Amino acid sequence: MAFCPLGVILCLAFIGFAGCAQPDEPTPDSFAGETPASQLEPAAPPDTAVALTEVNMSRGQTLYVPIYSHIHFKNQDRTINLAATVSIRNTDPDRAIVLSKIEYIDNSGQFVRRYLDGPRRLDPLASTSVVIEETDAAGGLGANFIIDWSAPQPVHAPIVESIMISSQSSLGISFTSPARVLSERSE
């Protein structure tokens, strides 16, 4: 049986050109690997769909924000200090809010320090933050912030959370904790 190099070359060329064919262009209703929108089931029956007008609006709140100035690791005697940032984000695209209290409270419930001397306006979609340095362990393991904010008319409630972070040696730790609403203003 004779070996035909020309036949092998033609066969390989055909296979190579077949692999270079352009894929079908996605239609407006579909993307590669996805089910076309025209074939999807509705997300929820019409009688259970949430109306877009049902948004959590508020005229003010008192918030509790947990902070950890350090955490235990391996045992109760070993701790890692953490830097903490409290982030306050006005989520309303049209109206400002007014911050009237940002107070740091320690592990035993005692006042540590105040971060506002008077009311502070936070413009639409603006943010502000408070930072507790990694070396500041005054608050202790169960420290927290109490934050009061208000608005003259109902607004989208701000997002308030704490972010803790530390990196010592080859160990890196970071986590967040959201604010909890203690009271809501409706007047």
Side-chain angles (χ1 to χ4, degrees):
M1 174 180 258
F3 178 72
C4 178
L6 182 59
V8 172
I9 292 171
L10 289 174
C11 184
L12 291 173
F14 177 75
I15 292 171
F17 286 124
C20 293
Q22 294 293 324
D24 293 337
E25 291 294 319
T27 64
D29 286 346
S30 69
F31 295 95
E34 293 185 24
T35 304
S38 59
Q39 296 177 10
L40 294 176
E41 295 294 322
D47 60 332
T48 61
V50 176
L52 292 177
T53 57
E54 293 179 25
V55 177
N56 183 21
M57 304 293 277
S58 178
R59 291 190 62 170
Q61 297 171 323
T62 298
L63 303 172
Y64 172 92
V65 188
I67 294 293
Y68 301 86
S69 64
H70 65 277
I71 57 172
H72 296 285
F73 80 105
K74 292 191 179 186
N75 59 48
Q76 190 169 355
D77 298 326
R78 295 186 69 183
T79 61
I80 296 175
N81 285 352
L82 302 167
T85 302
V86 175
S87 175
I88 305 167
R89 298 167 179 262
N90 181 359
T91 63
D92 198 287
D94 302 313
R95 294 181 282 280
I97 63 172
V98 176
L99 300 171
S100 56
K101 181 189 335 183
I102 301 176
E103 292 183 349
Y104 190 35
I105 310 297
D106 73 9
N107 192 56
S108 63
Q110 300 302 307
F111 173 84
V112 176
R113 69 182 72 95
R114 180 174 292 109
Y115 284 88
L116 285 178
D117 291 330
R120 176 169 179 210
R121 177 186 164 101
L122 195 57
D123 288 328
L125 301 178
S127 299
T128 190
S129 62
V130 173
V131 176
I132 304 295
E133 294 183 14
E134 188 174 36
T135 56
D136 182 355
L141 183 63
N144 63 79
F145 276 83
I146 300 297
I147 298 173
D148 280 341
W149 71 270
S150 62
Q153 57 189 340
V155 297
H156 297 278
I159 294 174
V160 180
E161 60 188 348
S162 60
I163 303 98
M164 279 63 63
I165 188 166
S166 180
S167 59
Q168 296 179 7
S169 301
S170 62
L171 181 64
I173 297 172
S174 64
F175 57 97
T176 64
S177 187
R180 284 25 174 218
V181 177
L182 296 179
S183 64
E184 186 88 29
R185 289 179 217 15
S186 57
E187 67 276 350

